mmCIF file of all heavy atoms in Angstrom:
data_model
loop_
_atom_site.group_PDB
_atom_site.id
_atom_site.type_symbol
_atom_site.label_atom_id
_atom_site.label_comp_id
_atom_site.label_asym_id
_atom_site.label_seq_id
_atom_site.Cartn_x
_atom_site.Cartn_y
_atom_site.Cartn_z
ATOM 1 N N GLU B 148 -61.288 -9.563 -82.074
ATOM 2 C CA GLU B 148 -61.128 -8.376 -81.208
ATOM 3 C C GLU B 148 -61.743 -8.661 -79.865
ATOM 4 O O GLU B 148 -62.825 -9.246 -79.766
ATOM 5 C CB GLU B 148 -61.804 -7.229 -81.854
ATOM 6 C CG GLU B 148 -61.812 -5.955 -80.984
ATOM 7 C CD GLU B 148 -62.567 -4.819 -81.589
ATOM 8 O OE1 GLU B 148 -63.572 -5.064 -82.358
ATOM 9 O OE2 GLU B 148 -62.173 -3.674 -81.371
ATOM 10 N N GLU B 149 -61.027 -8.292 -78.801
ATOM 11 C CA GLU B 149 -61.674 -8.281 -77.488
ATOM 12 C C GLU B 149 -62.429 -6.944 -77.398
ATOM 13 O O GLU B 149 -61.767 -5.930 -77.097
ATOM 14 C CB GLU B 149 -60.712 -8.475 -76.352
ATOM 15 C CG GLU B 149 -61.416 -8.541 -75.015
ATOM 16 C CD GLU B 149 -60.413 -8.650 -73.849
ATOM 17 O OE1 GLU B 149 -59.284 -8.147 -73.990
ATOM 18 O OE2 GLU B 149 -60.882 -9.166 -72.807
ATOM 19 N N SER B 150 -63.748 -6.915 -77.632
ATOM 20 C CA SER B 150 -64.448 -5.682 -77.653
ATOM 21 C C SER B 150 -64.776 -5.051 -76.327
ATOM 22 O O SER B 150 -64.945 -3.866 -76.127
ATOM 23 C CB SER B 150 -65.798 -5.781 -78.480
ATOM 24 O OG SER B 150 -66.547 -6.793 -77.873
ATOM 25 N N ASP B 151 -64.801 -5.926 -75.290
ATOM 26 C CA ASP B 151 -65.018 -5.480 -73.885
ATOM 27 C C ASP B 151 -64.405 -6.610 -73.050
ATOM 28 O O ASP B 151 -63.993 -7.696 -73.573
ATOM 29 C CB ASP B 151 -66.461 -5.316 -73.664
ATOM 30 C CG ASP B 151 -66.728 -4.429 -72.488
ATOM 31 O OD1 ASP B 151 -65.726 -4.118 -71.691
ATOM 32 O OD2 ASP B 151 -67.890 -3.956 -72.282
ATOM 33 N N SER B 152 -64.390 -6.477 -71.779
ATOM 34 C CA SER B 152 -63.825 -7.524 -70.887
ATOM 35 C C SER B 152 -64.574 -8.836 -71.140
ATOM 36 O O SER B 152 -65.757 -8.863 -71.020
ATOM 37 C CB SER B 152 -63.982 -7.053 -69.430
ATOM 38 O OG SER B 152 -63.496 -8.011 -68.574
ATOM 39 N N ASP B 153 -63.792 -9.825 -71.451
ATOM 40 C CA ASP B 153 -64.334 -11.231 -71.680
ATOM 41 C C ASP B 153 -65.351 -11.347 -72.817
ATOM 42 O O ASP B 153 -66.199 -12.245 -72.694
ATOM 43 C CB ASP B 153 -64.801 -11.764 -70.319
ATOM 44 C CG ASP B 153 -63.722 -11.865 -69.302
ATOM 45 O OD1 ASP B 153 -62.627 -12.099 -69.673
ATOM 46 O OD2 ASP B 153 -64.046 -11.617 -68.127
ATOM 47 N N ILE B 154 -65.232 -10.531 -73.799
ATOM 48 C CA ILE B 154 -66.108 -10.663 -75.061
ATOM 49 C C ILE B 154 -65.156 -10.722 -76.200
ATOM 50 O O ILE B 154 -64.360 -9.724 -76.451
ATOM 51 C CB ILE B 154 -67.057 -9.516 -75.141
ATOM 52 C CG1 ILE B 154 -68.071 -9.477 -74.011
ATOM 53 C CG2 ILE B 154 -67.844 -9.665 -76.455
ATOM 54 C CD1 ILE B 154 -68.944 -8.288 -74.012
ATOM 55 N N LEU B 155 -65.164 -11.807 -76.996
ATOM 56 C CA LEU B 155 -64.409 -11.913 -78.208
ATOM 57 C C LEU B 155 -65.388 -11.709 -79.437
ATOM 58 O O LEU B 155 -66.376 -12.458 -79.496
ATOM 59 C CB LEU B 155 -63.744 -13.263 -78.333
ATOM 60 C CG LEU B 155 -62.510 -13.435 -77.468
ATOM 61 C CD1 LEU B 155 -61.989 -14.864 -77.663
ATOM 62 C CD2 LEU B 155 -61.481 -12.459 -77.719
ATOM 63 N N ASP B 156 -65.011 -10.815 -80.383
ATOM 64 C CA ASP B 156 -65.800 -10.684 -81.589
ATOM 65 C C ASP B 156 -64.961 -11.133 -82.738
ATOM 66 O O ASP B 156 -63.801 -10.753 -82.907
ATOM 67 C CB ASP B 156 -66.162 -9.169 -81.779
ATOM 68 C CG ASP B 156 -67.171 -8.688 -80.721
ATOM 69 O OD1 ASP B 156 -67.928 -9.509 -80.196
ATOM 70 O OD2 ASP B 156 -67.104 -7.553 -80.355
ATOM 71 N N PHE B 157 -65.534 -11.913 -83.613
ATOM 72 C CA PHE B 157 -64.852 -12.420 -84.778
ATOM 73 C C PHE B 157 -65.335 -11.705 -86.071
ATOM 74 O O PHE B 157 -66.570 -11.720 -86.302
ATOM 75 C CB PHE B 157 -65.068 -13.953 -84.941
ATOM 76 C CG PHE B 157 -64.411 -14.744 -83.843
ATOM 77 C CD1 PHE B 157 -64.988 -14.805 -82.574
ATOM 78 C CD2 PHE B 157 -63.264 -15.473 -84.101
ATOM 79 C CE1 PHE B 157 -64.363 -15.508 -81.556
ATOM 80 C CE2 PHE B 157 -62.619 -16.266 -83.136
ATOM 81 C CZ PHE B 157 -63.224 -16.250 -81.809
ATOM 82 N N TYR B 158 -64.491 -11.049 -86.797
ATOM 83 C CA TYR B 158 -64.881 -10.322 -87.929
ATOM 84 C C TYR B 158 -64.292 -11.025 -89.172
ATOM 85 O O TYR B 158 -63.085 -11.427 -89.170
ATOM 86 C CB TYR B 158 -64.325 -8.901 -87.904
ATOM 87 C CG TYR B 158 -65.011 -7.995 -86.941
ATOM 88 C CD1 TYR B 158 -64.655 -8.043 -85.542
ATOM 89 C CD2 TYR B 158 -65.984 -7.058 -87.362
ATOM 90 C CE1 TYR B 158 -65.332 -7.210 -84.634
ATOM 91 C CE2 TYR B 158 -66.587 -6.286 -86.414
ATOM 92 C CZ TYR B 158 -66.300 -6.355 -85.162
ATOM 93 O OH TYR B 158 -66.933 -5.515 -84.174
ATOM 94 N N VAL B 159 -65.117 -11.207 -90.200
ATOM 95 C CA VAL B 159 -64.679 -11.736 -91.466
ATOM 96 C C VAL B 159 -65.206 -10.729 -92.531
ATOM 97 O O VAL B 159 -66.353 -10.387 -92.575
ATOM 98 C CB VAL B 159 -65.290 -13.139 -91.675
ATOM 99 C CG1 VAL B 159 -64.853 -13.666 -93.078
ATOM 100 C CG2 VAL B 159 -64.845 -14.095 -90.564
#
Side-chain angles (χ1 to χ4, degrees):
E148 174 183 33
E149 182 184 28
S150 60
D151 203 348
S152 179
D153 299 325
I154 298 175
L155 287 179
D156 293 329
F157 293 75
Y158 288 80
V159 179

